[in-house]
Amino acid sequence: QRPAYTAYVDAWRATHRSAGAAGAGEGDVLGNAQFVEGEAAELVSGEPRVRVDGETFVLCVHGCNEVNVEAVEMARECGASWMVVPCCLKTELYVQLESMRLTDAMQYAFLCGSMAKAYGAERVATLDARVTPRSIVLSGGGRDQRERAREDRVACEPLHTR
């Protein structure tokens, strides 16, 4: 956990208290937020087990290579909302090409678009490039997406299996 995470949480709590927002004093602001670090595949099956469900928001910032995929797939399987800010993207995870001759920035944008399509991103945005050069943000999920994914699987099954 980087010191920036603690600084952001502390700033959020201080702002919430000073603004006198509704609910202030009624428990911990961001009490339902937790920082979890580890192998994505082990987070929901390993010990200690992390609860991921339709009320969860899975965030993956600068996840490299397969971590982006693991985070989105974990969220989708559990009906959770998700957001990723991909960093390193392996071409072969999203497209099958013999060669790709693009600048690094163009390849990054192309692969983020491919990931957005592959995982049904509902929103695509960017962060200020002064924050990070890998600034594309993809997000989606929640219960509605889980239902659509289930319907898509049923619609794609051969007729004789229904």
Short mmCIF file of all heavy atoms in Angstrom, two decimals, residues 62 65 86-91 100-113 132-136:
data_model
loop_
_atom_site.label_atom_id
_atom_site.label_comp_id
_atom_site.label_asym_id
_atom_site.label_seq_id
_atom_site.Cartn_x
_atom_site.Cartn_y
_atom_site.Cartn_z
N HIS A 62 -3.18 0.68 -12.91
CA HIS A 62 -1.89 0.29 -13.48
C HIS A 62 -1.60 -1.19 -13.29
O HIS A 62 -0.48 -1.59 -13.03
CB HIS A 62 -0.76 1.15 -12.93
CG HIS A 62 -0.74 2.51 -13.55
ND1 HIS A 62 0.03 2.80 -14.65
CD2 HIS A 62 -1.42 3.63 -13.26
CE1 HIS A 62 -0.18 4.06 -14.99
NE2 HIS A 62 -1.06 4.58 -14.17
N ASN A 65 -0.53 -6.43 -17.68
CA ASN A 65 -0.81 -7.65 -18.43
C ASN A 65 -2.08 -8.34 -17.97
O ASN A 65 -3.16 -7.77 -18.05
CB ASN A 65 0.41 -8.57 -18.40
CG ASN A 65 1.64 -7.88 -18.96
OD1 ASN A 65 1.56 -7.18 -19.95
ND2 ASN A 65 2.77 -8.05 -18.31
N PRO A 86 -5.57 0.54 -17.29
CA PRO A 86 -4.54 -0.40 -17.73
C PRO A 86 -3.19 0.29 -17.92
O PRO A 86 -3.12 1.46 -18.26
CB PRO A 86 -5.05 -0.92 -19.07
CG PRO A 86 -6.50 -0.59 -19.10
CD PRO A 86 -6.66 0.64 -18.26
N CYS A 87 -2.16 -0.49 -17.69
CA CYS A 87 -0.80 0.01 -17.91
C CYS A 87 -0.21 -0.78 -19.07
O CYS A 87 -0.28 -0.35 -20.20
CB CYS A 87 0.01 -0.18 -16.63
SG CYS A 87 1.70 0.42 -16.74
N CYS A 88 0.30 -1.93 -18.78
CA CYS A 88 0.88 -2.78 -19.80
C CYS A 88 -0.19 -3.74 -20.31
O CYS A 88 -0.88 -4.37 -19.51
CB CYS A 88 2.03 -3.60 -19.22
SG CYS A 88 3.25 -2.61 -18.34
N LEU A 89 -0.35 -3.82 -21.60
CA LEU A 89 -1.36 -4.70 -22.19
C LEU A 89 -0.68 -5.62 -23.20
O LEU A 89 0.00 -5.14 -24.10
CB LEU A 89 -2.45 -3.89 -22.89
CG LEU A 89 -3.28 -3.00 -21.98
CD1 LEU A 89 -4.09 -2.00 -22.80
CD2 LEU A 89 -4.19 -3.84 -21.11
N LYS A 90 -0.87 -6.92 -23.04
CA LYS A 90 -0.32 -7.87 -23.99
C LYS A 90 -1.27 -7.96 -25.19
O LYS A 90 -2.45 -8.26 -25.03
CB LYS A 90 -0.18 -9.25 -23.36
CG LYS A 90 0.95 -9.36 -22.38
CD LYS A 90 1.11 -10.79 -21.91
CE LYS A 90 2.28 -10.95 -20.99
NZ LYS A 90 2.40 -12.33 -20.51
N THR A 91 -0.72 -7.73 -26.35
CA THR A 91 -1.52 -7.76 -27.58
C THR A 91 -2.30 -9.06 -27.71
O THR A 91 -3.49 -9.05 -28.01
CB THR A 91 -0.61 -7.56 -28.81
OG1 THR A 91 0.09 -6.33 -28.66
CG2 THR A 91 -1.41 -7.54 -30.10
N MET A 100 1.85 -5.58 -35.73
CA MET A 100 1.18 -4.33 -35.47
C MET A 100 2.26 -3.26 -35.47
O MET A 100 3.18 -3.29 -34.66
CB MET A 100 0.45 -4.36 -34.11
CG MET A 100 -0.33 -3.10 -33.86
SD MET A 100 -1.45 -3.07 -32.42
CE MET A 100 -1.16 -4.52 -31.50
N ARG A 101 2.15 -2.34 -36.39
CA ARG A 101 3.15 -1.27 -36.50
C ARG A 101 2.50 0.06 -36.12
O ARG A 101 2.06 0.80 -36.98
CB ARG A 101 3.71 -1.23 -37.91
CG ARG A 101 4.46 -2.48 -38.28
CD ARG A 101 4.95 -2.42 -39.72
NE ARG A 101 5.48 -3.69 -40.12
CZ ARG A 101 6.77 -3.97 -40.17
NH1 ARG A 101 7.66 -3.06 -39.82
NH2 ARG A 101 7.17 -5.16 -40.55
N LEU A 102 2.45 0.27 -34.83
CA LEU A 102 1.86 1.49 -34.30
C LEU A 102 2.83 2.10 -33.30
O LEU A 102 3.65 1.40 -32.71
CB LEU A 102 0.54 1.18 -33.57
CG LEU A 102 -0.58 0.53 -34.38
CD1 LEU A 102 -1.71 0.12 -33.46
CD2 LEU A 102 -1.07 1.46 -35.45
N THR A 103 2.69 3.39 -33.07
CA THR A 103 3.47 4.01 -32.01
C THR A 103 2.99 3.44 -30.69
O THR A 103 1.89 2.87 -30.60
CB THR A 103 3.29 5.54 -32.00
OG1 THR A 103 1.93 5.83 -31.66
CG2 THR A 103 3.67 6.17 -33.33
N ASP A 104 3.79 3.61 -29.65
CA ASP A 104 3.42 3.10 -28.33
C ASP A 104 2.08 3.67 -27.88
O ASP A 104 1.21 2.94 -27.39
CB ASP A 104 4.52 3.41 -27.32
CG ASP A 104 4.21 2.83 -25.96
OD1 ASP A 104 4.08 1.59 -25.86
OD2 ASP A 104 4.10 3.62 -24.99
N ALA A 105 1.88 4.97 -28.05
CA ALA A 105 0.63 5.62 -27.63
C ALA A 105 -0.56 5.09 -28.43
O ALA A 105 -1.63 4.84 -27.87
CB ALA A 105 0.74 7.13 -27.78
N MET A 106 -0.37 4.90 -29.73
CA MET A 106 -1.47 4.38 -30.55
C MET A 106 -1.78 2.93 -30.20
O MET A 106 -2.95 2.53 -30.15
CB MET A 106 -1.12 4.51 -32.04
CG MET A 106 -1.12 5.95 -32.52
SD MET A 106 -0.59 6.09 -34.24
CE MET A 106 -1.98 5.35 -35.08
N GLN A 107 -0.74 2.14 -29.94
CA GLN A 107 -0.96 0.74 -29.57
C GLN A 107 -1.70 0.66 -28.24
O GLN A 107 -2.61 -0.14 -28.07
CB GLN A 107 0.37 -0.01 -29.49
CG GLN A 107 0.19 -1.47 -29.15
CD GLN A 107 1.48 -2.26 -29.26
OE1 GLN A 107 2.38 -1.90 -30.01
NE2 GLN A 107 1.55 -3.35 -28.53
N TYR A 108 -1.32 1.50 -27.29
CA TYR A 108 -1.99 1.53 -25.99
C TYR A 108 -3.48 1.84 -26.17
O TYR A 108 -4.34 1.14 -25.63
CB TYR A 108 -1.32 2.56 -25.07
CG TYR A 108 -2.03 2.78 -23.77
CD1 TYR A 108 -2.04 1.80 -22.77
CD2 TYR A 108 -2.71 3.97 -23.52
CE1 TYR A 108 -2.69 2.01 -21.57
CE2 TYR A 108 -3.36 4.18 -22.32
CZ TYR A 108 -3.36 3.19 -21.35
OH TYR A 108 -4.02 3.40 -20.16
N ALA A 109 -3.79 2.86 -26.95
CA ALA A 109 -5.19 3.23 -27.19
C ALA A 109 -5.93 2.11 -27.91
O ALA A 109 -7.08 1.78 -27.56
CB ALA A 109 -5.26 4.53 -27.99
N PHE A 110 -5.30 1.50 -28.90
CA PHE A 110 -5.91 0.40 -29.65
C PHE A 110 -6.23 -0.78 -28.73
O PHE A 110 -7.33 -1.33 -28.77
CB PHE A 110 -4.96 -0.03 -30.78
CG PHE A 110 -5.44 -1.22 -31.56
CD1 PHE A 110 -6.41 -1.09 -32.54
CD2 PHE A 110 -4.91 -2.47 -31.31
CE1 PHE A 110 -6.85 -2.19 -33.26
CE2 PHE A 110 -5.35 -3.58 -32.01
CZ PHE A 110 -6.32 -3.44 -33.00
N LEU A 111 -5.27 -1.16 -27.89
CA LEU A 111 -5.48 -2.30 -27.00
C LEU A 111 -6.50 -1.99 -25.91
O LEU A 111 -7.28 -2.86 -25.52
CB LEU A 111 -4.15 -2.77 -26.41
CG LEU A 111 -3.21 -3.41 -27.43
CD1 LEU A 111 -1.86 -3.72 -26.79
CD2 LEU A 111 -3.82 -4.66 -28.05
N CYS A 112 -6.53 -0.75 -25.43
CA CYS A 112 -7.57 -0.38 -24.46
C CYS A 112 -8.95 -0.48 -25.11
O CYS A 112 -9.90 -0.95 -24.49
CB CYS A 112 -7.33 1.04 -23.92
SG CYS A 112 -6.01 1.14 -22.69
N GLY A 113 -9.06 -0.04 -26.36
CA GLY A 113 -10.32 -0.18 -27.08
C GLY A 113 -10.70 -1.63 -27.27
O GLY A 113 -11.88 -2.01 -27.13
N THR A 132 -0.61 10.60 -15.44
CA THR A 132 0.01 9.37 -15.93
C THR A 132 -0.10 9.33 -17.45
O THR A 132 -1.14 9.70 -17.99
CB THR A 132 -0.64 8.11 -15.33
OG1 THR A 132 -0.06 6.95 -15.93
CG2 THR A 132 -2.14 8.08 -15.56
N PRO A 133 0.93 8.86 -18.12
CA PRO A 133 0.83 8.74 -19.58
C PRO A 133 -0.09 7.59 -19.98
O PRO A 133 -0.61 7.57 -21.09
CB PRO A 133 2.27 8.50 -20.03
CG PRO A 133 2.97 7.97 -18.83
CD PRO A 133 2.27 8.55 -17.63
N ARG A 134 -0.29 6.62 -19.11
CA ARG A 134 -1.23 5.53 -19.35
C ARG A 134 -2.55 5.94 -18.71
O ARG A 134 -2.87 5.57 -17.60
CB ARG A 134 -0.72 4.22 -18.74
CG ARG A 134 0.61 3.77 -19.30
CD ARG A 134 0.50 3.43 -20.76
NE ARG A 134 1.63 2.62 -21.17
CZ ARG A 134 1.89 2.35 -22.42
NH1 ARG A 134 1.13 2.83 -23.38
NH2 ARG A 134 2.91 1.60 -22.73
N SER A 135 -3.31 6.75 -19.43
CA SER A 135 -4.40 7.50 -18.81
C SER A 135 -5.81 7.08 -19.21
O SER A 135 -6.77 7.74 -18.86
CB SER A 135 -4.22 8.98 -19.13
OG SER A 135 -4.22 9.17 -20.53
N ILE A 136 -5.96 5.98 -19.92
CA ILE A 136 -7.30 5.55 -20.33
C ILE A 136 -7.96 4.78 -19.20
O ILE A 136 -7.35 3.91 -18.58
CB ILE A 136 -7.25 4.73 -21.63
CG1 ILE A 136 -6.75 5.62 -22.77
CG2 ILE A 136 -8.61 4.12 -21.95
CD1 ILE A 136 -6.59 4.92 -24.10
#
